[in-house]
Amino acid sequence: MQRYENEVLLDAAVRYAEERHWEVFPGAWLEVAAGEQKCSCRVPACAMPGAHALGADWRTVATESATAVRRMWEEHPTAAVLLPTGQAFDVLDVPESAGFLALARMERMQVPVGPVTQVPTGRMQFFVLAGGAAKVPGLLRKLGWSPSGLDLAALGEGDYVVAPPTRIGGRGVVQWARRPTTANRWLPDVAELVAAVAYACGREAAV
């Protein structure tokens, strides 16, 4: 089973690099000690066990070379699959309930949606064109929303996301709510999604 999971992680990391031309880098991993899963970082209260960068220099490790990706995962076959934001894409990070509400609204309005992940920390992440994160505060204000009043994070240059099928401790596996396909190879501009996402986050805040 472990060997199969390792192969799945490697295959996913290589596909992101080869098929999407996304930069990839390995993160922490889970280790079993005394029958319990613990993060390789050895921090007792690790917030993202087995699913975070190993150090501040992670940006220098990220690559879209499939050969380099294979080499890195041969060294650490159970490492988390991490994707930098700010280069090939940016991300809108929202509560899971707001994410599903936003997806339903976009489908009704026939708004094109890119890949979307469902993270077992209770979040959803919408992939948009790189450079979108910087536009979000201004777009929200134009729509009448206060950026600080919504549980909406825009991840761009200097940030990263945890990619499927990485496991986050005992919480579960990061999954695709909308899988990358040839149909969504061209990512939407953040301006196309922000109204639906902000509305959904605003609804959640009002509950």
Side-chain angles (χ1 to χ4, degrees), residues 14-184:
V14 170
R15 284 178 178 271
Y16 297 144
E18 281 189 332
E19 297 179 6
R20 302 296 291 205
H21 301 292
W22 290 346
E23 289 189 337
V24 185
F25 69 99
W29 57 89
L30 294 172
E31 299 175 337
V32 178
E36 294 184 6
Q37 285 188 330
K38 297 183 178 181
C39 187
S40 63
C41 71
R42 308 296 173 86
V43 175
C46 179
M48 293 285 283
H52 61 82
L54 292 170
D57 63 343
W58 61 264
R59 193 69 192 82
T60 65
V61 180
T63 179
E64 60 180 67
S65 164
T67 300
V69 168
R70 288 190 178 92
R71 186 168 57 248
M72 289 190 290
W73 263 268
E74 284 173 2
E75 185 175 351
H76 294 296
T78 58
V81 181
L82 306 179
L83 307 174
T85 53
Q87 299 297 314
F89 58 85
D90 282 359
V91 159
L92 295 179
D93 178 283
V94 302
E96 183 178 277
S97 53
F100 279 117
L101 178 60
L103 274 177
R105 188 173 178 84
M106 291 176 201
E107 288 174 355
R108 287 197 305 272
M109 299 173 67
Q110 297 185 326
V111 174
V113 181
V116 183
T117 57
Q118 187 177 355
V119 186
T121 54
R123 310 291 293 183
M124 288 183 74
Q125 297 179 327
F126 292 76
F127 286 48
V128 297
L129 283 174
K135 302 176 185 177
V136 170
L139 290 170
L140 290 176
R141 293 188 186 95
K142 285 182 179 179
L143 292 167
W145 298 99
S146 167
S148 62
L150 298 176
D151 187 0
L152 192 169
L155 307 180
E157 183 65 35
D159 296 313
Y160 64 85
V161 294
V162 183
T166 300
R167 182 176 297 278
I168 302 178
R171 298 175 180 175
V173 176
V174 182
Q175 303 179 64
W176 289 111
R178 291 292 182 276
R179 188 175 296 276
T181 66
T182 54
N184 61 25

Side-chain angles (χ1 to χ4, degrees), residues 1-12 77-78 165 167:
M1 177 63 73
Q2 185 62 62
R3 182 177 178 181
Y4 171 75
E5 290 182 358
N6 294 354
E7 290 175 352
V8 170
L9 285 167
L10 173 60
D11 181 65
T78 58
R167 182 176 297 278

